[in-house]
Short mmCIF file of all heavy atoms in Angstrom, two decimals:
data_model
loop_
_atom_site.label_atom_id
_atom_site.label_comp_id
_atom_site.label_asym_id
_atom_site.label_seq_id
_atom_site.Cartn_x
_atom_site.Cartn_y
_atom_site.Cartn_z
N LEU A 24 96.04 93.88 102.57
CA LEU A 24 96.58 94.81 103.48
C LEU A 24 96.11 94.33 104.88
O LEU A 24 94.93 94.29 105.19
CB LEU A 24 96.17 96.25 103.41
CG LEU A 24 96.69 97.36 104.24
CD1 LEU A 24 98.19 97.39 104.14
CD2 LEU A 24 96.03 98.67 103.98
N ALA A 25 97.08 93.98 105.78
CA ALA A 25 96.58 93.41 107.03
C ALA A 25 97.63 93.97 108.13
O ALA A 25 98.71 94.33 107.83
CB ALA A 25 96.63 91.92 107.03
N ASP A 26 97.32 93.76 109.40
CA ASP A 26 98.30 93.93 110.50
C ASP A 26 99.44 93.16 110.32
O ASP A 26 99.40 92.05 109.80
CB ASP A 26 97.53 93.70 111.82
CG ASP A 26 96.55 94.71 112.15
OD1 ASP A 26 96.56 95.82 111.55
OD2 ASP A 26 95.73 94.31 112.97
N TYR A 27 100.61 93.56 110.71
CA TYR A 27 101.89 92.96 110.54
C TYR A 27 101.89 91.55 110.95
O TYR A 27 102.22 90.54 110.32
CB TYR A 27 102.97 93.65 111.13
CG TYR A 27 104.34 93.10 110.81
CD1 TYR A 27 104.78 92.99 109.58
CD2 TYR A 27 105.36 92.93 111.78
CE1 TYR A 27 106.09 92.46 109.26
CE2 TYR A 27 106.58 92.37 111.57
CZ TYR A 27 106.97 92.19 110.25
OH TYR A 27 108.16 91.75 110.06
N ASP A 28 101.41 91.24 112.24
CA ASP A 28 101.44 89.89 112.74
C ASP A 28 100.47 88.97 112.00
O ASP A 28 100.80 87.88 111.78
CB ASP A 28 100.89 89.93 114.26
CG ASP A 28 101.25 88.72 115.03
OD1 ASP A 28 102.30 88.10 114.66
OD2 ASP A 28 100.52 88.43 116.03
N THR A 29 99.44 89.53 111.38
CA THR A 29 98.48 88.69 110.62
C THR A 29 99.23 88.41 109.29
O THR A 29 99.01 87.28 108.85
CB THR A 29 97.19 89.53 110.30
OG1 THR A 29 96.55 89.96 111.52
CG2 THR A 29 96.29 88.68 109.49
N CYS A 30 99.91 89.28 108.77
CA CYS A 30 100.67 88.98 107.49
C CYS A 30 101.64 87.79 107.77
O CYS A 30 101.79 86.97 106.82
CB CYS A 30 101.49 90.18 106.99
SG CYS A 30 100.45 91.66 106.47
N ILE A 31 102.34 87.87 108.84
CA ILE A 31 103.27 86.84 109.17
C ILE A 31 102.60 85.55 109.29
O ILE A 31 103.04 84.39 108.71
CB ILE A 31 104.07 87.09 110.37
CG1 ILE A 31 104.88 88.47 110.31
CG2 ILE A 31 105.02 85.96 110.78
CD1 ILE A 31 105.54 88.84 111.55
N THR A 32 101.52 85.49 109.96
CA THR A 32 100.71 84.21 110.16
C THR A 32 100.18 83.68 108.80
O THR A 32 100.24 82.48 108.53
CB THR A 32 99.52 84.51 111.13
OG1 THR A 32 100.13 85.01 112.32
CG2 THR A 32 98.77 83.22 111.35
N GLN A 33 99.57 84.53 108.04
CA GLN A 33 99.01 84.17 106.79
C GLN A 33 100.02 83.55 105.76
O GLN A 33 99.89 82.54 105.22
CB GLN A 33 98.26 85.28 106.12
CG GLN A 33 96.97 85.77 106.79
CD GLN A 33 96.29 86.93 106.15
OE1 GLN A 33 96.86 87.63 105.25
NE2 GLN A 33 95.03 87.04 106.42
N TYR A 34 101.21 84.22 105.84
CA TYR A 34 102.32 83.70 104.89
C TYR A 34 102.77 82.29 105.42
O TYR A 34 102.82 81.42 104.70
CB TYR A 34 103.47 84.63 104.80
CG TYR A 34 104.64 84.13 104.13
CD1 TYR A 34 104.60 84.16 102.71
CD2 TYR A 34 105.69 83.56 104.69
CE1 TYR A 34 105.59 83.56 101.97
CE2 TYR A 34 106.71 83.03 103.96
CZ TYR A 34 106.65 83.09 102.60
OH TYR A 34 107.69 82.53 101.89
N GLY A 35 102.99 82.24 106.70
CA GLY A 35 103.43 80.95 107.33
C GLY A 35 102.38 79.91 107.04
O GLY A 35 102.78 78.70 107.03
#
Side-chain angles (χ1 to χ4, degrees):
L24 183 64
D26 293 337
Y27 187 55
D28 199 26
T29 303
C30 291
I31 298 172
T32 301
Q33 289 181 343
Y34 176 79

